[in-house]
Structure formats: C-alpha cells, structure tokens
C-alpha cells in the first residue's frame, strides 16, 4: 500500500487530482479503449473535482473518453433530488467537464427491481473492461462506499441498510433532519471496489484518524471495511496530517521517507 501524507486538505486534493489526470493521460484513452474511473460523492472529493475541472479548463486533461461508475446512490431519491448522488455529481463535476452523458453510470435510486439494478451494474462494469482506478472516501467507521462495518469483504453491488451513525453524519445535507435521510442505499461492494486495478482512498481531518489508523495499521477485518485495501495490489491512501495523527510515529516516518 502507498500512503501519501500531505499537510492539509488542499494538498491532498491537488495531489489526488494530478495523480488521476496523469493516469488518464498516460492511458491515452480513445473511444475504443476508454479509461474507466470509479467515483465517490461526499465532502472529501469536492477538492479533487474542483482541481480536475481546473485542469480540464486548462486543457491538461480530457474526459471525452472516460467512462465513470459512481459508488452508490440513496434508495428512493430521484435523480433530480438535490441530495441524490446523481444531482451531486452533475452539480459538482460532470456539468463542468467534457464527459459524454452516455459514459456516466450511477445506480438508479428509483429502480423498481433493486436486485436487477445492482446485478446489471456489475455487468456493465465488466462490459466496460473493469474499473481502472476507483477513487473513494472513507467513513468515520471505516466504511468504503456504503459498505458499513461487517459488510462482507467480497460483497458485490447490493442494497444496504445505513447505520444510525451514517444517517446522523449525512443528515448535515438534509437540514440536519435525520428523518429526511434515506435509510437504505445501493452500493458497490467491497469486492467490486477491490476488483479495480487501482484504488485510491482520500481522508482528511481528525474525524477520519481512527479509520485511517485501522486501515493502515489494523488487522484485516470486516469490522473496518477499509482494511480490505491491505490485500489490494495497488492501493493508495492520500490523507492529511490530521487524518494520519493516530498512526504510529514510525509508520508516518516510513511513508514520508519513502514518498519523499
Ligand atoms: P465524506 O464521506 O467525504 O462526506 O466525509 C465519506 C464517506 O462516508 O465515505
């Protein structure tokens, strides 16, 4: 695993955006050979999206031959609901870059047959040749996508019940009213994420320090689904000093030395 420790959120965002743009540019995607990118929502990736938009405007990267798959979507929210992940992605990223609408994949929260929706999502990922790079955030309880504690580490796309803690944390987007937050979501599984050829997880702030500690120094366990990353051949955690603050000093020294 690579661990990149930056002083603050700004530097985390800039590093991650440059990394993603470089990966796309090196891949030199074409319509026959597109770059498949997995994407998250949440507060954490906002800085990366802002930086990628800037790089697109400066002609440093194009998304014309990029296919995206989002991690998750609330069940019961239509695409035009301001708190749906559809809405979030278009507002914060897709409306500002040259991605083709037909290349965007987000689970449909209003699907009548949720099981089929999830199975079809897995099939479309495979049909596109698998995900090249999956970008993600991390929950305070170590969840990746909506894979809450004790999700199977080989799980696939499915519906999950959100924990009360996640509902509480996410209620900040719903006028702090927990009754407005959907209680279930469709999410890619831990196994779906781990099938990507590379996985990059972002974390910033003290609130994420425990999850980062477990992800890097904890034993692999379904209790902290982030720990599955330890088994990935190309896993990267990009975090700021605050999120790294519970790591042992020698762990921080090791990663700062090797990534100098
Ligand atoms: P956040 O969410 O980026 O809003 O902190 C991350 C997550 O819960 O995965």
């Amino acid at each position: 695993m690579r661990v990149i420790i930056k002083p603050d959120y700004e530097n985390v965002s800039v590093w991650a955006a440059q990394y993603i743009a470089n990966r796309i540019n090196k891949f030199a995607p074409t319509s026959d050979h597109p770059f498949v990118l997995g994407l998250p929502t949440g507060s954490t990736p906002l800085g990366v999206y802002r930086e990628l938009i800037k790089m697109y405007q400066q002609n440093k990267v194009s998304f014309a031959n990029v296919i995206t798959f989002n991690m998750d979507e609330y069940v019961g929210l239509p695409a035009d609901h301001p708190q749906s992940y559809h809405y979030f992605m278009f507002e914060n990223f897709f409306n500002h870059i040259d991605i083709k609408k037909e290349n965007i994949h987000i689970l449909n929260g209003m699907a009548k047959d949720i099981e089929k929706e999830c199975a079809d999502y897995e099939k479309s990922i495979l049909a596109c040749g698998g995900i090249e790079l999956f970008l993600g955030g991390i929950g305070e309880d170590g969840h990746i996508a909506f894979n809450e504690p004790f999700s199977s580490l080989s799980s696939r796309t499915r519906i999950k019940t959100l924990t009360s803690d996640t509902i509480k944390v996410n209620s900040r987007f719903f006028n702090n009213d927990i009754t407005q937050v959907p209680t279930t979501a469709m999410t890619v599984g831990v196994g779906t994420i781990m099938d990507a050829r590379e996985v990059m997880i972002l974390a910033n702030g003290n609130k994420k320090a425990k999850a980062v500690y477990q992800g890097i120094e904890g034993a692999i366990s379904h209790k902290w689904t982030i720990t599955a990353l330890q088994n990935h051949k190309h896993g990267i955690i990009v975090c700021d000093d605050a999120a790294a603050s519970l790591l042992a000093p020698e762990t921080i020294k090791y990663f700062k030395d090797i990534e100098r």
Side-chain angles (χ1 to χ4, degrees), residues 223-244:
K223 188 168 179 184
W224 296 85
T225 53
I226 176 64
T227 59
L229 195 65
Q230 293 176 21
N231 262 339
H232 197 281
K233 285 190 189 125
H234 298 290
I236 311 181
I237 291 182
V238 192
C239 61
D240 65 358
D241 283 332

Side-chain angles (χ1 to χ4, degrees), residues 119-133:
D120 287 351
Y121 205 65
E122 290 279 339
K123 280 185 206 150
S124 339
I125 293 174
L126 283 180
C128 292
I131 293 173
E132 193 60 32
L133 171 63

Side-chain angles (χ1 to χ4, degrees), residues 240-254:
D240 65 358
D241 283 332
S245 61
L246 291 179
L247 295 173
E250 62 268 26
T251 306
I252 296 177
K253 193 163 161 254
Y254 171 82

Side-chain angles (χ1 to χ4, degrees), residues 83-101:
Q83 297 314 332
S84 75
Y85 290 166
H86 274 81
Y87 194 92
F88 175 101
M89 287 308 299
F90 281 88
E91 273 294 286
N92 293 300
F93 194 37
F94 297 146
N95 283 343
H96 312 283
I97 56 171
D98 60 344
I99 192 161
K100 297 185 183 99
K101 206 152 180 242

Side-chain angles (χ1 to χ4, degrees), residues 41-207:
T41 55
S43 310
T44 312
L46 284 172
V48 173
Y49 293 149
R50 190 198 57 219
E51 287 302 316
L52 285 173
I53 293 166
K54 220 190 281 173
M55 292 177 86
Y56 159 70
Q57 288 166 345
Q58 294 165 349
N59 289 321
K60 290 181 179 160
V61 68
S62 164
F63 297 89
N65 292 309
V66 173
I67 292 181
T68 61
F69 283 90
N70 263 83
M71 287 187 145
D72 39 25
E73 178 59 286
Y74 288 118
V75 169
L77 294 193
D80 61 355
H81 188 290
Q83 297 314 332
S84 75
Y85 290 166
H86 274 81
Y87 194 92
F88 175 101
M89 287 308 299
F90 281 88
E91 273 294 286
N92 293 300
F93 194 37
F94 297 146
N95 283 343
H96 312 283
I97 56 171
D98 60 344
I99 192 161
K100 297 185 183 99
K101 206 152 180 242
E102 64 269 24
N103 283 349
I104 295 169
H105 299 83
I106 309 179
L107 285 152
N108 174 12
M110 299 304 283
K112 284 209 175 70
D113 186 342
I114 288 180
E115 226 168 273
K116 182 176 183 303
E117 175 70 12
C118 294
D120 287 351
Y121 205 65
E122 290 279 339
K123 280 185 206 150
S124 339
I125 293 174
L126 283 180
C128 292
I131 293 173
E132 193 60 32
L133 171 63
F134 220 133
L135 176 68
I138 184 174
E140 291 173 33
D141 58 7
H143 68 227
I144 44 173
F146 272 131
N147 295 289
E148 300 282 33
F150 306 107
S151 293
S152 159
L153 298 186
S154 56
S155 49
R156 315 303 311 185
T157 306
R158 68 219 183 286
I159 185 169
K160 283 293 287 180
T161 302
L162 305 184
T163 63
S164 301
D165 284 347
T166 296
I167 290 172
K168 202 158 119 201
V169 168
N170 288 7
S171 68
R172 70 190 193 278
F173 300 113
F174 293 83
N175 302 319
N176 292 312
D177 179 358
I178 54 167
T179 65
Q180 299 294 311
V181 186
T183 54
T184 54
M186 275 179 271
T187 178
V188 293
V190 180
T192 320
I193 300 170
M194 292 306 140
D195 279 354
R197 288 183 274 284
E198 189 168 17
V199 179
M200 179 157 75
I201 301 293
L202 311 175
N204 69 285
N206 286 310
K207 282 185 179 166

